[in-house]
Amino acid sequence: MDMSKYRALFFSEAREHLAGMGRLLVALEHDSRDVQTVEALFREAHSIKGMAASMGYDRTAELAHGLEDMLDRCRAGGEVPPARVDRLLQGVDLLESLINDLDADQPEREIADFLAELQSAEQIDGDPGEKVSARQVP
């Protein structure tokens, strides 16, 4: 199937979703417990992931999926710590760079380092929904 006729639509919609993510992240900085904002961010990342995957833009889809996973854990925990907001902002910037690469007919840049940092940070930060009581501390 010739996907070239959908390219312009992909770029237009992806940029709309990125702009929405930017606005939502600013709102999240002001209220890290706003569940509706986290849900909306999740939907934006999910939309980009699906669109990119259907176009065959694997790294873009993979990065959006990584951000979606982080948001899923945050919404389960009921808040997004400031360090995670920063990582989400970095991820949105990287998503925008990937989309710009593709729009300029360039190959998608490497994202493995960012995804590894994202996973490592998740392990260090722990689950935002995880509550540690005095009895759980050895």
Side-chain angles (χ1 to χ4, degrees):
M1 174 181 219
D2 181 19
M3 299 300 282
S4 63
K5 62 184 174 183
Y6 299 107
R7 275 179 59 88
L9 181 62
F10 168 79
F11 293 122
S12 173
E13 288 191 16
R15 287 190 172 103
E16 285 179 29
H17 289 295
L18 286 170
M21 289 180 86
R23 286 188 299 273
L24 290 164
L25 284 167
V26 169
L28 198 59
E29 287 179 315
H30 297 290
D31 184 1
S32 66
R33 294 179 182 265
D34 185 349
V35 175
Q36 291 178 334
T37 299
V38 176
E39 291 286 341
L41 271 165
F42 179 87
R43 287 190 302 274
E44 297 283 11
H46 183 76
S47 294
I48 291 172
K49 178 186 76 173
M51 292 183 334
S54 68
M55 293 294 293
Y57 302 145
D58 297 333
R59 290 183 182 158
T60 302
E62 185 180 4
L63 177 57
H65 183 70
L67 297 176
E68 184 185 45
D69 284 348
M70 177 186 270
L71 287 162
D72 191 38
R73 286 185 292 278
C74 289
R75 74 180 174 179
E79 74 174 301
V80 183
R84 292 202 184 173
V85 173
D86 290 343
R87 286 186 192 90
L88 289 166
L89 284 165
Q90 292 168 350
V92 169
D93 287 346
L94 184 53
L95 265 178
E96 184 174 20
S97 295
L98 287 166
I99 289 167
N100 289 337
D101 290 343
L102 292 164
D103 197 17
D105 291 322
Q106 298 295 318
E108 293 171 286
R109 64 188 66 201
E110 269 302 318
I111 61 167
D113 289 345
F114 180 80
L115 290 176
E117 289 172 16
L118 196 65
Q119 188 173 32
S120 175
E122 287 282 308
Q123 292 169 354
I124 292 168
D125 293 347
D127 182 354
E130 210 174 87
K131 304 295 181 211
V132 178
S133 71
R135 286 184 225 155
Q136 291 174 305
V137 177

